[in-house]
Amino acid sequence: MKRIILLTICMIAAFFVPAVSFSQEISSPDENITDSTSDRRTLNVTDESFVPNDKHSKYKVYGMGGGFISARGRIMLGEDNQYASTNNDGTPRLFPADGYNIALETKLWAALMFKEESMLRAGGSVMFRYNDGRLYPIFHIDELYFKWRYPMGDIIIGRNICSTFDPMLFGGPLDGIQLNLNVPFLNFRSFMGYTGFLGLFHPYNNPYTITQYDRTYHEDSNLALLEPEYNFIFNAEQAMRFFFCTDFDIYLAGIHINPYFLMQIDMSEMRLDDRPNNINTINTFHLGLNNEGRIIDTLYYKINIVGMFGFNKDIPTGEINRLLSCAFTSQLRYTFTKAGHSTLMLGYAFGLGNQISDEDTNAFWADNYHRESNKFYYYGRFDGGYVLNPILSNIHSISFRYQVTPVDKDRVKLSLYAGIYQTFKFWSDAAISFKGFESDNAVVGTEFDFGLNVNCMPVFTFGLDFGVLIPENGVLTMPIFRGGMSFVWTI
């Protein structure tokens, strides 16, 4: 009787206990089940616990890509007080002979995006450049780098565009490594890299042309229909320099304070093939301070002062001479926010230079390395006018620039600018980078620039630039003109 009562109680209890399915005995997919699990069972794909959550993982990898097609052209007229002449065969010839250039370029890039903005990116371009009656094909690997993002910044390894916080001192591609650190009130940037591989396919892609050796390469390609020939030189003469830079950005109370240093080592002397540097090398060290911030409302200022130290080595004799120079740039900028974002900019800059010229008529580029030099070397870009476009060495430059954006709609943006540049020599009897101003006169000239930029986002960009330089050195009497046009179609 007791057995019957016990059996009846067990049956009633089993009836009220919730049923347990097989799939619920299996650990959910979120748990760590490996092949070494002792009680491993096979999941049925129809079980609810097997269906993944409809949620995007932050570790997902995806690809991106794009590119552009661009056409650029420029022309300059005016050299030795003439704009053109006639060749022996009666055809016209413009002056300067290399003053016109047309380039058609196609660039493609692709990237694999990882978590938290990390990426692997590569890009290449093909350009056809027409200059001085010749057509030059140029292939280039523009970028090839891995970027790893971490909580306080990022690390970039490979071929990448590097720049100091003030791009006048340095701005351009390098094969190397860059570290960025961003914390409250402080941004830190440090990079090091090498330039000797930038121009493997063509030195045109190596922008660090400082010494005579850097400019040794002469184009010897011609794809014109009348004389079809092509002479390709792999790893031609080019700048072989190593850079190391550390740049701080201390941000406090609306003011940026940027102490920095840049070291550059010329390694072209170490080249062992049939194109060695047997002329001279230039090694430099820059130490400077950039400061910018707001004065009141939309009035901003910028001041940058940099000292340069180094030495110039004559390779055949081993003679070493000192380099010692400095430069200063400044700008006041005021923006009218209710007038098409109009901006007024007033600037002043100078760069120290050699006190006397050499006998060479192209003395600025000759670099007499048998004596001490005060020439200022740098590796970025200085805005000294569209026509003159001087190297900031032996130069005083005063500039006034106005730009306005009268159209700024959702997908169309139109900007206009106008500028005036007054340029002087630091030493009147020394040369500057622009040919034709070798005379003993401290005044170089006055330049007027105009231009516009139209951006139909995100596929179309059109740019137009024009400038006229009025020489005031007593030797050149005819104005020098330069015009440029660019068209970019983004793929």
Side-chain angles (χ1 to χ4, degrees), residues 14-86:
F15 179 79
F16 285 99
V17 173
V20 179
S21 67
F22 178 77
S23 63
Q24 288 176 302
E25 297 179 39
I26 306 300
S27 302
S28 68
D30 296 331
E31 296 178 4
N32 183 23
I33 299 179
T34 66
D35 291 339
S36 63
T37 303
S38 58
D39 191 14
R40 179 166 49 87
R41 299 180 176 90
T42 303
L43 284 174
N44 191 328
V45 294
T46 60
D47 293 339
E48 291 183 2
S49 59
F50 185 80
V51 179
N53 296 329
D54 187 15
K55 182 179 179 181
H56 295 290
S57 171
K58 65 179 180 179
Y59 301 106
K60 197 169 188 178
V61 178
Y62 60 94
M64 299 178 63
F68 63 81
I69 299 174
S70 69
R72 303 189 302 271
R74 66 167 175 80
I75 184 171
M76 181 181 291
L77 293 176
E79 185 180 54
D80 298 332
N81 290 324
Q82 56 182 335
Y83 298 126
S85 66
T86 303

Side-chain angles (χ1 to χ4, degrees), residues 313-462:
K313 178 182 178 182
D314 178 21
I315 295 177
T317 65
E319 178 187 0
I320 294 178
N321 285 288
R322 183 193 65 173
L323 299 175
L324 180 62
S325 189
C326 66
F328 174 84
T329 61
S330 61
Q331 184 185 86
L332 284 176
R333 184 179 78 252
Y334 185 78
T335 300
F336 302 90
T337 56
K338 295 183 179 180
H341 294 283
S342 301
T343 302
L344 296 174
M345 290 174 285
L346 177 65
Y348 168 73
F350 79 83
L352 201 62
N354 289 330
Q355 185 173 359
I356 57 174
S357 292
D358 302 322
E359 296 180 358
D360 192 329
T361 56
N362 196 16
F364 186 86
W365 300 114
D367 287 327
N368 187 340
Y369 40 87
H370 297 291
R371 59 175 170 80
E372 294 182 354
S373 173
N374 294 322
K375 185 175 178 180
F376 182 69
Y377 295 93
Y378 61 101
Y379 311 96
R381 187 180 184 279
F382 166 69
D383 179 19
Y386 181 67
V387 181
L388 189 64
N389 192 25
I391 302 296
L392 188 60
S393 181
N394 197 37
I395 284 290
H396 282 283
S397 177
I398 303 173
S399 63
F400 176 79
R401 185 181 176 98
Y402 171 73
Q403 62 185 43
V404 61
T405 305
V407 178
D408 191 1
K409 298 183 179 179
D410 293 337
R411 303 181 68 86
V412 179
K413 185 175 182 179
L414 170 65
S415 300
L416 304 169
Y417 77 86
I420 302 175
Y421 299 84
Q422 183 66 53
T423 308
F424 306 88
K425 290 183 182 181
F426 199 94
W427 304 106
S428 61
D429 54 350
I432 63 173
S433 59
F434 195 92
K435 184 180 178 181
F437 290 90
E438 292 82 12
S439 63
D440 186 5
N441 195 314
V443 182
V444 176
T446 305
E447 178 174 334
F448 300 91
D449 291 351
F450 311 91
L452 65 88
N453 183 272
V454 180
N455 188 2
C456 299
M457 297 179 288
V459 295
F460 172 76
T461 301
F462 173 77

